Amino acid sequence: MRKQFSFPIILTLFWFSHAGSMAPTPAKEWTDLWLDYRLVSNQPLLQEYRYNLKVLVVSSHSETMELAGAELRRGLRLLLGREVSEGTDFEAANSLVIGARGALPQSILAEVQQELNAAGQEGYVVKTRATPRGKSILIVANHDVGVLRGAFHFLRLLQTQQAIRALAIVSHPRIQYRLLNHWDNLDRSVERGYAGKSLWKWEELPGTIDPRYHDYARANASLGINGVVLNNVNANPDILKPEYLKKVAALADIFRPYGIRIFLSANFSSPISEKFEFEARRRGGIGDLSTSDPLDLHVRSWWKNTVGEIYQLIPDFGGFLVKASSEGMPGPNDYGRTHAEGANMLAEVLEPYGGIVMWRSFVYDADVDPDRTKRAYKEFVPLDGKFHSNVFVQPKNGPLDFQPREPVNPLFGAMPKTPLMLELQLTQEYLGHSTHLVYLAPMWKEYLEFDTHANGAGSTLASIVDGSVHGYPMTGIAGVANTGDDRNWTGHFFAQANWYAFGRLAWDHTLSSEEIADEWIGMSLGNDTTVLSTVRKMMMGSWEACVKYMTPLGLHHIMQEHFHYGPEPSLDKGREDWTSVYYHRAGTTGIGYNRNSSGSNAVSQYFSPVRERFDDLTSCPEEYLLWFHHVPWDYRTKSGRTVWDELCHRYHAGVKYVAHMQENWRSLQPRVDPVVFELVGEKLAQHYRDAGIWRDTCLTYFQRLSGKPIVGDD
Ligand code: BDP
């Protein structure tokens, strides 16, 4: 439970947070995330920073440049504990000079020409420069938004206490579209959201602008996130009504100077009259038609007009995200049309404006194949080459549904002619909501670095997504957001690290999980070496631990129905592909889903030699053992233990890890902010209890089938 604060404490915290005070209480549960800029504690470094950063020279005055200047002024004031002066002399010593190409004097341009070329449209250069009068630091880019991102990068160096004597940084994103997908509904509920209500106050917009919209955009800009889908993929057609578009436009105006474009989830039935009665999610739309058949001319012109209206209000509108013919959502299949026909209809009307379509591949029509994990591949691979050039197909990282661990989605590599936008999930739908401390970067890295062999060795998922394998004309990555209107944005303080890590990896997927953790810890909890090493250790093993106490050895989808928090391995009712027993297939003789070549043959969807590696019981990585194979209870695993004993061992080890995290966290009491200490401590206590429930429920259930004693609880 969240601690209830008394009124004076709330006031104090509010004051500290908003006054940017130098007082020691950093009020971490409040709004500033990793951007609260505390006084540099390392004295020699502080002196060095103060010496080198006496003057700020801002070269021009667009909205974005104002933001960059303000961020640096504020950041330097707090980090250095004193104001920097403003200057106009580009050659001044001990100055910080910021500017975009068009506003820089020739003398500087000549020196950074090459780096600017390498920085590209979105990147930036941070560079130490020798002026005739001494040294200065440049933050320069081809466009203002690059300067803003460079400013955040520079501040990060100070926040994490790096040397700034000889900087030579050129940074540019490896992926073009770096988006957060909000599953936010118009009534402000958030599908799979665990951090309060939606940030978007539709009832107040466009008249009232919540200051948090700016804070949100600022946090994203600090990571280089450049697009936001505002609404749930289970889209309410109302979002395209003029009254809502005005609200959307107000948000677009706020986000624009931060380099963030707006996208919307569109309901495929939008053109249909609301008088049409459908079941469940197939409600009528907002138009006046009786069909949304993508080949119908009236439907096409309805979309053309609607898109025209959107661009009137939002000239840089990004495009549509679409969940179609999936989980009861309407789509082209309702009219006997393909996903490509549906996507292309929207792509054609967006194309003149530079908009795109992100067409999700999360479909699992039971008629396609009895094995749910094979269905999307079977529907989409035949469509490769049939999509318009401004269409992304957007698959989730795994073939099922954001489970604690899955093998990589076989669609990656199998659609060389269709840009694939990777969809990750920040919100911990299946990983303990905002109660469990689970750092997701190691999981995302496992996927990104997985070698699909699509085009020979080295065809990692990352290199498919960033376009290097197939030469995609556009590249993208999306993360289902974990934000809400909770004071700390994400429900769990440590879930902020997942937002941070997603943004950093979207910019540069070659960063390691450790590096990202170190940055986040330094910026969010301080640079005390004990805090750094202890928290890094806690974070780095937390995902693997979660896999162990939830779904070890390749188990999957054994969570409670609907809620998706606790375990329900006995679930055996309703639709087959939503029951736990369909997935674990445990019986008295063994456990696991046979997807090898003697079973559902899901392995055939992978490239050789991955296919053979997964197919063969002895070479299949144990992380995926029960995903691909059904084995007898006394099958020997690599540890020498039987699969039953190994399951017991892993369930226990997972829970023990949470106990270690609790101990480690307790040891940090004198070193971290007291409010954070207490709130995280409370979360960890519940985390420990609930991890134990996972272990006990699953082991008790499986024991009834295996008939063997539960071991390894020492
Ligand atoms: C599932 C969620 C559901 C989403 C769906 C999706 O349980 O709420 O609508 O994915 O991604 O994981 O469309």
Side-chain angles (χ1 to χ4, degrees):
M1 288 294 288
R2 180 178 295 285
K3 184 175 153 55
Q4 294 298 312
F5 291 109
S6 66
F7 185 59
I9 296 180
I10 290 182
L11 265 187
T12 317
L13 292 174
F14 187 81
W15 186 80
F16 280 139
S17 162
H18 286 267
S21 157
M22 302 307 300
T25 307
K28 288 304 309 177
E29 284 293 303
W30 289 76
T31 59
D32 275 338
L33 295 156
W34 47 88
L35 299 172
D36 76 339
Y37 304 135
R38 268 165 292 165
L39 185 66
V40 172
S41 56
N42 176 322
Q43 284 309 312
L45 262 186
L46 179 61
Q47 296 321 319
E48 184 193 322
Y49 292 166
R50 284 181 172 168
Y51 177 79
N52 283 293
L53 299 166
K54 294 201 175 107
V55 189
L56 175 66
V57 181
V58 181
S59 67
S60 64
H61 294 283
S62 69
E63 258 187 283
T64 302
M65 287 301 293
E66 294 291 341
L67 290 172
E71 195 69 36
L72 286 166
R73 248 168 253 130
R74 175 167 186 267
L76 294 177
R77 185 180 75 238
L78 297 172
L79 287 156
L80 274 50
R82 62 150 204 228
E83 301 287 339
V84 287
S85 57
E86 303 283 327
T88 50
D89 178 2
F90 286 96
E91 306 298 327
N94 303 325
S95 61
L96 184 58
V97 175
I98 69 167
R101 186 187 273 272
L104 293 170
Q106 200 48 45
S107 55
I108 293 184
L109 262 184
E111 278 182 43
V112 292
Q113 195 60 49
Q114 253 185 323
E115 287 101 322
L116 281 181
N117 291 344
Q121 293 301 303
E122 294 205 89
Y124 52 83
V125 177
V126 183
K127 188 181 175 183
T128 307
R129 175 178 185 238
T131 78
R133 279 174 265 148
K135 275 203 286 187
S136 71
I137 294 171
L138 301 176
I139 302 177
V140 295
N142 289 303
H143 299 286
D144 291 353
V145 70
V147 178
L148 177 62
R149 292 175 186 147
F152 280 114
H153 186 134
F154 180 70
L155 288 166
R156 182 166 71 233
L157 296 177
L158 308 190
Q159 288 176 280
T160 52
Q161 309 201 352
Q162 312 289 314
I164 57 164
R165 236 167 279 140
L167 297 171
I169 297 164
V170 180
S171 186
H172 60 88
R174 289 171 193 274
I175 296 176
Q176 197 185 346
Y177 288 89
R178 304 174 299 280
L179 267 53
L180 280 182
N181 288 183
H182 288 271
W183 285 0
D184 293 20
N185 296 314
L186 301 185
D187 63 3
R188 295 194 63 207
S189 61
V190 180
E191 180 144 352
R192 310 304 173 188
Y194 315 106
K197 286 196 283 188
S198 169
L199 288 166
W200 326 131
K201 297 183 172 169
W202 296 111
E203 70 288 2
E204 294 181 2
L205 282 164
T208 306
I209 300 300
D210 187 316
R212 283 192 108 177
Y213 302 149
H214 287 277
D215 297 339
Y216 167 84
R218 173 177 170 245
N220 279 335
S222 78
L223 303 170
I225 285 172
N226 63 359
V228 172
V229 181
L230 290 177
N231 61 319
N232 191 358
V233 287
N234 296 315
N236 184 330
D238 289 352
I239 191 74
L240 299 181
K241 283 185 174 169
E243 70 206 68
Y244 272 99
L245 291 179
K246 286 191 195 107
K247 299 169 191 280
V248 172
L251 289 173
D253 290 342
I254 294 165
F255 295 170
R256 190 170 297 115
Y258 294 90
I260 297 164
R261 290 166 82 192
I262 296 259
F263 299 73
L264 292 175
S265 292
N267 184 306
F268 204 75
S269 282
S270 299
I272 295 182
S273 160
E274 65 183 344
K275 290 183 209 109
F276 254 71
E277 294 283 326
F278 288 101
E279 77 279 13
R281 285 169 171 169
R282 288 159 186 264
R283 46 160 292 190
I286 56 169
D288 51 7
L289 305 181
S290 58
T291 176
S292 61
D293 180 347
L295 300 192
D296 182 291
L297 290 181
H298 299 288
V299 171
R300 296 171 93 88
S301 73
W302 188 90
W303 281 108
K304 192 170 174 209
N305 292 338
T306 304
V307 164
E309 281 164 28
I310 296 177
Y311 279 93
Q312 284 270 315
L313 290 164
I314 312 165
D316 57 351
F317 178 66
F320 292 134
L321 172 64
V322 189
K323 170 174 178 177
S325 301
S326 160
E327 296 193 324
M329 289 295 285
N333 294 4
D334 300 341
Y335 307 95
R337 314 296 183 197
T338 67
H339 285 285
E341 286 167 324
N344 291 345
M345 183 262 300
L346 295 173
E348 272 168 37
V349 297
L350 286 161
E351 197 169 22
Y353 305 97
I356 58 161
V357 173
M358 296 159 289
W359 192 268
R360 298 178 83 230
S361 67
F362 181 66
V363 298
Y364 51 97
D365 181 350
D367 294 338
V368 173
D369 195 283
D371 180 353
R372 176 172 155 185
T373 67
K374 290 173 66 187
R375 296 172 189 164
Y377 180 102
K378 286 175 92 169
E379 277 206 61
F380 275 87
V381 171
L383 299 176
D384 191 30
K386 301 213 160 70
F387 290 94
H388 271 228
S389 58
N390 59 333
V391 176
F392 277 109
V393 166
Q394 183 170 308
K396 296 184 181 183
N397 48 290
L400 184 53
D401 188 9
F402 296 136
Q403 290 300 293
R405 180 183 251 135
E406 300 186 25
V408 77
N409 191 331
L411 272 172
F412 290 102
M415 298 190 70
K417 298 187 195 124
T418 313
L420 296 182
M421 188 164 196
L422 170 63
E423 181 176 307
L424 301 171
Q425 194 183 44
L426 283 60
T427 192
Q428 291 165 234
E429 176 178 358
Y430 299 104
L431 290 116
H433 297 186
S434 64
T435 300
H436 296 210
L437 191 170
V438 185
Y439 175 49
L440 297 173
M443 165 163 86
W444 296 332
K445 287 291 286 186
E446 180 170 293
Y447 287 99
L448 289 165
E449 288 174 356
F450 185 86
D451 192 350
T452 65
H453 286 263
N455 199 8
S459 310
T460 59
L461 173 66
S463 62
I464 291 166
V465 172
D466 75 12
S468 13
V469 172
H470 304 304
Y472 288 154
M474 56 180 195
T475 57
I477 184 166
V480 180
N482 61 356
T483 48
D485 74 346
D486 272 9
R487 298 181 299 191
N488 71 1
W489 297 90
T490 52
H492 198 309
F493 171 71
F494 273 84
Q496 294 179 359
N498 292 330
W499 181 5
Y500 183 83
F502 170 75
R504 296 289 287 133
L505 286 171
W507 185 268
D508 182 0
H509 57 70
T510 67
L511 292 168
S512 72
S513 311
E514 289 89 343
E515 280 174 86
I516 297 172
D518 281 358
E519 286 177 7
W520 180 80
I521 299 164
M523 295 163 88
S524 306
L525 287 164
N527 291 285
D528 176 305
T529 49
T530 310
V531 173
L532 266 175
S533 62
T534 310
V535 175
R536 184 200 307 126
K537 203 170 91 197
M538 287 169 62
M539 289 167 74
M540 285 306 297
S542 59
W543 166 57
E544 194 68 59
C546 178
V547 172
K548 283 185 175 151
Y549 63 71
M550 286 186 176
T551 51
L553 289 172
L555 286 173
H556 48 285
H557 215 291
I558 54 173
M559 67 288 161
Q560 282 166 315
E561 202 180 9
H562 307 304
F563 191 35
H564 299 180
Y565 179 76
E568 200 176 352
S570 58
L571 185 69
D572 186 12
K573 61 179 166 83
R575 271 177 46 209
E576 201 188 32
D577 52 20
W578 273 95
T579 62
S580 301
V581 297
Y582 165 89
Y583 291 99
H584 62 61
R585 308 209 161 193
T588 49
T589 52
I591 181 168
Y593 195 137
N594 182 358
R595 295 192 172 101
N596 65 34
S597 48
S598 73
S600 82
N601 204 15
V603 292
S604 67
Q605 295 183 339
Y606 292 90
F607 291 89
S608 200
V610 177
R611 176 191 305 157
E612 291 76 14
R613 184 150 48 92
F614 288 167
D615 192 27
D616 182 346
L617 185 53
T618 55
S619 60
C620 181
E622 282 191 341
E623 290 77 30
Y624 314 130
L625 182 68
L626 305 177
W627 185 284
F628 288 117
H629 300 276
H630 185 87
V631 296
W633 288 110
D634 47 18
Y635 170 77
R636 288 269 156 218
T637 63
K638 296 198 174 92
S639 64
R641 299 185 193 100
T642 64
V643 80
W644 166 252
D645 286 355
E646 185 65 24
L647 270 184
C648 294
H649 176 78
R650 292 196 184 204
Y651 271 109
H652 285 297
V655 179
K656 274 185 201 155
Y657 189 89
V658 184
H660 289 315
M661 285 202 286
Q662 279 188 294
E663 276 162 37
N664 280 318
W665 185 250
R666 269 186 225 117
S667 75
L668 297 178
Q669 177 156 29
R671 298 171 189 271
V672 298
D673 171 77
V675 177
V676 178
F677 179 79
E678 193 166 332
L679 292 172
V680 170
E682 286 170 14
K683 290 272 186 192
L684 279 169
Q686 197 182 339
H687 183 171
Y688 178 69
R689 278 194 300 274
D690 296 344
I693 291 175
W694 266 95
R695 174 199 58 202
D696 297 343
T697 311
C698 293
L699 285 181
T700 314
Y701 171 83
F702 290 130
Q703 186 191 30
R704 261 183 261 133
L705 299 164
S706 77
K708 296 179 187 297
I710 294 173
V711 293
D713 53 344
D714 43 279

